[in-house]
Amino acid sequence: SDFNFDYRVSFNDEDKGSIHYNYKDRPFFSSEMPGISVFAKEGEKIYYTYSTFMRGLDPFITTYQLLDLVPKGRDEDDNDNYKMGWVRHNDSY
């Protein structure tokens, strides 16, 4: 499905360099970005009612809320465009 591409949270090789994400142009840093969209159906019509990206998703990820309570918080680097440079996958160390 092209759904994630249509709502600008998935990107392909042609997008490398610059992407339009969270309503502005940004440097490409991942082929998949976080986002949530909400739709409403009324009869046969479907309405796109809401989207949120990046920090708007924090309430859904309880790890962030716990990290925000500790002294160093998320320990984010101000130069980190994506603000998730601290994330390490088990197979990427």
Side-chain angles (χ1 to χ4, degrees):
S1 158
D2 290 336
F3 183 86
N4 285 354
F5 291 96
D6 292 343
Y7 285 90
R8 298 183 182 264
V9 292
S10 289
F11 308 94
N12 54 37
D13 288 339
E14 292 88 41
D15 298 317
K16 287 189 175 176
S18 180
I19 58 172
H20 189 79
Y21 172 71
N22 196 15
Y23 303 102
K24 69 190 251 191
D25 292 329
R26 301 171 182 277
F28 177 89
F29 29 83
S30 177
S31 60
E32 297 287 329
M33 300 293 292
I36 291 179
S37 296
V38 177
F39 299 86
K41 185 174 181 183
E42 186 177 281
E44 295 299 311
K45 292 185 179 185
I46 297 175
Y47 298 94
Y48 172 49
T49 61
Y50 179 77
S51 283
T52 191
F53 307 90
M54 297 174 82
R55 294 287 192 194
L57 298 166
D58 287 1
F60 302 102
I61 305 170
T62 55
T63 302
Y64 290 154
Q65 295 186 21
L66 293 171
L67 284 172
D68 290 343
L69 299 174
V70 300
K72 287 184 78 175
R74 300 176 197 189
D75 200 18
E76 294 174 334
D77 182 355
D78 289 336
N79 297 321
D80 180 9
N81 288 327
Y82 186 38
K83 299 294 184 199
M84 287 186 65
W86 55 273
V87 174
R88 299 289 184 269
H89 300 282
N90 289 335
D91 58 355
S92 298
Y93 285 95

